[in-house]
Amino acid sequence: LGEEKRKVAVNSVMTSLVRDGKVSRAREVLEETLEGSGEVNERSCGIVISGYAQEAMWEEAVEVLDAMTDNGVPQDVVCFNSAMNACARALQFGLVIDLFKDMTSKGIEPTVITLNTLVNACAKVGDFRMALDISSSLREKGILPNGITFSTLISACSKRGDWEAASRILNDLIDRRMPLDIFSWNSAITACANGGNSQEALRIFSLIREHGFSPDKYSYSALLSTFEKDNAQWQNAITYLDEALDVGVGANNHCFNACMCACYRANEWKMVVRLLNRMMDAGVSPDYVSYSLAVSACEQAGDFRQAMAFVDAVRHQGFKVDQYFDWQVDRIQRRLKRSGN
């Protein structure tokens, strides 16, 4: 075999080992080859560093990266990106920045993957301002962000329920005329839902069409989730549920349940039952939450017979019920018996 073919063969072996979760053995092959024929290249090292990144083993990833220079193997952007990713996964934010500075000081040009790795690292530690600054800086150098870049950032806000940060980032992105995709809009609305701010969710939802997008089923689902615990929004919940059905994006049981919950909290008992019936008419299968809301609504409205009909549906469907449900059924049966109906 020629030298290049031998390198390809070694890389193939290491790739298989990493794929099987044996990154430590892949590193042993790399080191054995370096000590023997020395026929490795930056691709060889990148395979091992990437394997460590998948396991968030940042110390090992950085060790392999540093060893490249010692063994005369040129470092490249792929290896740096993988090492930065390993550090980001391990929440070693300072090291991510240090590696980025080291890479650029060596004249290695960053890529959009570098940008996304940096943004992801910033998002994990909640430093959203630095993420935006890095993005702007790299954009000036011709590294344009893609959908993943800001989806990652806003999604991090969503998981934290930090609607203020999500909204601030979204507004900043709009002001800077940076690219957005529908996932970014949906993540911002979800942040509002998780943070309990229905008004801001409505504002963001209204901007989707203004910026040339059409809300999808996830947009509506996220928006309806913001109404779930806000009894003042029950009418809005029904309005946007109707809109989702009218425009053809559809609605799942989560959407219907959110509306039912908003109506229940607003003491709109009859509307809860209507929504359950409408759900079934739309071909959407109610779940345990759907029936539980309907049972509770009927009990509150004094319609104990209808409540028991929904209880029978729960039993027929074979849903696993909790202790509260059993206790509630006993109470409804007693009240039904006292009522004489």
Side-chain angles (χ1 to χ4, degrees), residues 136-206:
S136 295
S137 175
L138 289 185
R139 192 177 192 188
E140 291 174 0
K141 297 178 180 179
I143 309 299
L144 300 179
N146 58 17
I148 296 174
T149 310
F150 298 115
S151 294
T152 298
L153 193 54
I154 299 178
S155 180
C157 298
S158 172
K159 292 175 183 177
R160 294 158 62 102
D162 192 344
W163 67 266
E164 291 177 299
S167 181
R168 188 166 58 248
I169 291 167
L170 192 66
N171 291 335
D172 203 345
L173 295 177
I174 293 171
D175 291 342
R176 299 184 191 205
R177 298 184 180 181
M178 288 188 171
L180 288 167
D181 57 14
I182 191 62
F183 183 78
S184 299
W185 292 101
N186 293 347
S187 293
I189 296 172
T190 301
C192 295
N194 293 340
N197 192 320
S198 57
Q199 291 297 328
E200 183 63 11
L202 279 167
R203 185 190 75 83
I204 293 172
F205 188 88
S206 69

Side-chain angles (χ1 to χ4, degrees), residues 12-45:
S12 179
V13 170
M14 291 193 296
T15 298
S16 296
L17 289 170
V18 169
R19 189 184 301 120
D20 293 339
K22 301 176 181 178
V23 63
S24 295
R25 177 55 190 147
R27 183 176 179 179
E28 289 175 2
V29 171
L30 175 66
E31 292 175 344
E32 289 166 3
T33 306
L34 280 169
E35 292 174 2
S37 64
E39 292 171 345
V40 300
N41 54 19
E42 57 270 32
R43 168 65 179 156
S44 315
C45 298

Side-chain angles (χ1 to χ4, degrees), residues 312-327:
D312 289 341
V314 170
R315 290 170 173 165
H316 178 73
Q317 294 289 335
F319 292 119
K320 183 178 180 180
V321 302
D322 54 28
Q323 188 174 9
Y324 174 79
F325 185 84
D326 289 333
W327 175 77

Side-chain angles (χ1 to χ4, degrees), residues 295 299 304 307-308 311-312 315 321-339:
V295 169
E299 181 185 12
F304 307 125
M308 289 306 301
V311 169
D312 289 341
R315 290 170 173 165
V321 302
D322 54 28
Q323 188 174 9
Y324 174 79
F325 185 84
D326 289 333
W327 175 77
Q328 184 182 30
V329 171
D330 289 341
R331 184 180 63 208
I332 292 171
Q333 288 176 325
R334 290 195 302 271
R335 296 181 72 178
L336 178 61
K337 186 176 181 180
R338 286 199 300 269
S339 70

Side-chain angles (χ1 to χ4, degrees), residues 99-137:
L99 286 171
F100 174 64
K101 291 178 179 177
D102 185 26
M103 180 182 78
T104 53
S105 71
K106 293 177 178 177
I108 300 174
E109 293 295 328
T111 65
V112 69
I113 295 176
T114 312
L115 170 58
N116 290 343
T117 302
L118 288 165
V119 167
N120 182 46
C122 294
K124 286 181 179 295
V125 298
D127 196 338
F128 305 122
R129 172 55 54 188
M130 177 169 280
L132 289 172
D133 290 343
I134 288 172
S135 180
S136 295
S137 175

